[in-house]
Amino acid sequence: MLSMIGLIGGLFLLIFLTMRGMNLLIVGPLSALFVAVFSGLPLFPQLVGEGEANLVGSYMTGFSGFVTSWYLMFLLGAIFGKVMEDSGAADSVSQFIVSKFGMKYAVLAVVAACAILTYGGVSLFVVAFSVYPMALSLFKQANLPRRFIPATLAFGSVTFTMTSAGSPEIQNWIPIQYLNTSPYAGWEVSLIVALFMAIFGYWWLKRMISKAVSKGETFASRENDPSSKDRVLPSPLLGAIPLIVVLVISYIFHDSLKQSALIVALLGGVITAYVLNRKYFENFWEALSEGTIGALIAIGNTAAVVGFGGVAKAVPAFTQAVEFMTSIPGSPLIGGAIAVSVIAGMTGSASGGQAIALPILAPHYLDMGVNTEALHRVVSISSGALDSLPHNGYVVTTIRAVCGESHQDAYNAVGALTVIVPALGVILAIVLFSLGLGI
């Protein structure tokens, strides 16, 4: 009982302290300590036998293991994003999309810009920073409440694109190493689910904004509002080619290199962006430096919550919870979806949740003969649901650092679109796979 109290209490502490603005690199170990103390887990390796679980060892194993597996992907992803940003390629693509949609469809234009950049392999964080100035300008001109900008950015970035078949985001690639699948696993179902999430989520977003406007909410300007840089940009075609290169290379090499194909694809994207747009760069080497720092921060924040998950995994309550979830009657896809979603929620990270859950769940479900294509897609989509609780690194960064809003004002809309909509998408995917579609 105490172990379960510690596990649940540690998760709530993780969420609470994050919402209070504390750094995840501090909150992760502190919350893990709470879990360990209530579960009676020894604190240091010196207090236990070799190989036995302890707070420091379990935390650092989870932390370092995630860094070892995904550092190069994070590094090249962040560098690619900064190169696209510094060359103006990301802005060029975004502005082209906005110009085609027009002011009447301001919200749709922002969503589409985020979706195309994300599916093209640009880091979620870079997409938020890149599109935000245009989103701010559009919301101001349309006189829409600015507290919905974080939800608009998040909806276009982390829902129907991040976990869809073919996406170069790591949330779609992590299952490959455990299930021996491809990033295009279950693409038929993925396409239907993505269309559902896009259409339903956009309708819900527009409804929330319209309801707020009908109550008298308008755009409120601030003195420190950023503005788009007045600079010469490459053509939208030159800006889009590096995105296409990432998708094409990842498709060509995904069978032979598996998740390592993403390294080759992102490197190809960086080289292409430099070759085609080198005259538009403000400071290429500074972009590389900033991308590297950004990668370290992003993977550090994610690894911090994976470390928390590593400690949670070592306590008795976690084993009990996993046994309960994996023994849920009915389709194994249901148990897999619930388990991955819950663990992703505990860690506040879709990628971190998969990295913790799949080594445990994959052998169990593969022994049961579950279709790997279906399991890959369900796991990927479900990881993008409860991961977006308030303590999620992307959520915190987008709401507070990028948009300058508070969780109190902005999170309800963010949570609706990034938790509930993907959860409905998971249900739809399970139903479709159960009917035999895509299998």
Side-chain angles (χ1 to χ4, degrees):
M1 177 60 72
L2 280 179
S3 180
M4 187 61 70
I5 292 175
L7 183 61
I8 297 174
L11 175 59
F12 278 104
L13 181 64
L14 181 65
I15 295 173
F16 174 75
L17 293 180
T18 302
M19 292 189 69
R20 297 284 294 179
M22 286 188 66
N23 191 303
L24 285 172
L25 291 169
I26 299 175
V27 172
L30 190 61
S31 301
L33 176 62
F34 185 94
V35 174
V37 169
F38 271 81
S39 299
L41 190 69
L43 301 185
F44 305 106
Q46 293 79 8
L47 301 178
V48 297
E50 184 177 353
E52 294 182 13
N54 61 90
L55 170 65
V56 173
S58 298
Y59 186 88
M60 292 311 302
T61 296
F63 187 102
S64 61
F66 186 82
V67 173
T68 299
S69 297
W70 295 102
Y71 172 68
L72 289 179
M73 286 76 161
F74 271 81
L75 175 65
L76 288 169
I79 288 176
F80 176 62
K82 291 303 295 184
V83 166
M84 290 289 290
E85 177 185 11
D86 191 73
S87 66
D91 283 340
S92 178
V93 173
S94 300
Q95 290 181 11
F96 175 78
I97 296 167
V98 170
S99 68
K100 294 303 179 183
F101 281 99
M103 192 55 58
K104 181 180 179 181
Y105 299 100
V107 175
L108 181 59
V110 175
V111 171
C114 291
I116 291 175
L117 290 172
T118 302
Y119 201 78
V122 178
S123 166
L124 303 173
F125 294 92
V126 172
V127 171
F129 278 105
S130 176
V131 179
Y132 174 65
M134 285 175 291
L136 190 67
S137 175
L138 285 170
F139 270 63
K140 181 177 182 179
Q141 293 178 62
N143 201 26
L144 302 176
R146 64 187 298 158
R147 68 184 179 92
F148 288 101
I149 294 179
T152 306
L153 297 174
F155 173 62
S157 300
V158 303
T159 55
F160 60 93
T161 53
M162 183 181 76
T163 59
S164 294
S167 171
E169 302 295 336
I170 64 172
Q171 290 80 4
N172 181 47
W173 284 72
I174 291 177
I176 295 173
Q177 63 180 308
Y178 300 102
L179 302 175
N180 195 31
T181 49
S182 81
Y184 301 92
W187 70 267
E188 302 96 336
V189 168
S190 178
L191 178 60
I192 296 173
V193 172
L195 288 173
F196 163 77
M197 288 197 289
I199 295 171
F200 176 70
Y202 179 69
W203 171 82
W204 197 0
L205 174 60
K206 286 287 291 181
R207 187 174 184 273
M208 288 188 287
I209 294 176
S210 297
K211 187 175 181 179
V213 170
S214 68
K215 291 183 178 180
E217 287 192 50
T218 59
F219 185 90
S221 298
R222 298 172 184 166
E223 292 183 1
N224 61 343
D225 282 343
S227 57
S228 298
K229 296 179 181 179
D230 184 15
R231 56 178 294 192
V232 178
L233 299 176
S235 69
L237 177 60
L238 291 179
I241 288 177
L243 305 177
I244 297 171
V245 167
V246 171
L247 291 174
V248 171
I249 293 179
S250 65
Y251 175 79
I252 293 174
F253 291 102
H254 75 266
D255 280 336
S256 57
L257 297 180
K258 302 300 180 183
Q259 67 269 22
S260 295
L262 189 56
I263 298 175
V264 180
L266 289 170
L267 180 59
V270 171
I271 295 173
T272 304
Y274 176 76
V275 171
L276 295 180
N277 303 306
R278 58 186 180 278
K279 68 178 181 180
Y280 297 100
F281 278 96
E282 294 186 324
N283 192 326
F284 175 75
W285 295 109
E286 182 66 22
L288 294 185
S289 177
E290 291 180 0
T292 302
I293 294 172
L296 291 173
I297 294 173
I299 198 170
N301 285 335
T302 304
V305 292
V306 173
F308 168 82
V311 174
K313 185 172 64 175
V315 302
F318 185 88
T319 303
Q320 296 168 10
V322 171
E323 289 176 351
F324 170 78
M325 289 182 286
T326 55
S327 62
I328 295 175
S331 170
L333 295 178
I334 297 176
I338 293 175
V340 170
S341 188
V342 169
I343 296 172
M346 289 173 56
T347 61
S349 167
S351 54
Q354 288 188 39
I356 293 172
L358 283 172
I360 300 172
L361 299 178
H364 174 79
Y365 287 121
L366 290 178
D367 289 342
M368 295 177 64
V370 178
N371 182 277
T372 55
E373 298 267 322
L375 185 59
H376 177 135
R377 191 53 47 206
V378 168
V379 162
S380 182
I381 298 172
S382 64
S383 73
L386 292 182
D387 74 304
S388 299
L389 292 175
H391 62 294
N392 171 270
Y394 170 82
V395 170
V396 173
T397 300
T398 301
I399 291 178
R400 296 181 179 273
V402 177
C403 300
E405 303 292 334
S406 67
H407 271 67
Q408 183 178 1
D409 291 334
Y411 183 73
N412 284 345
V414 172
L417 296 172
T418 64
V419 175
I420 297 177
V421 171
L424 294 175
V426 173
I427 295 173
L428 177 59
I430 292 174
V431 170
L432 293 175
F433 280 124
S434 299
L435 294 175
L437 183 62
I439 297 179

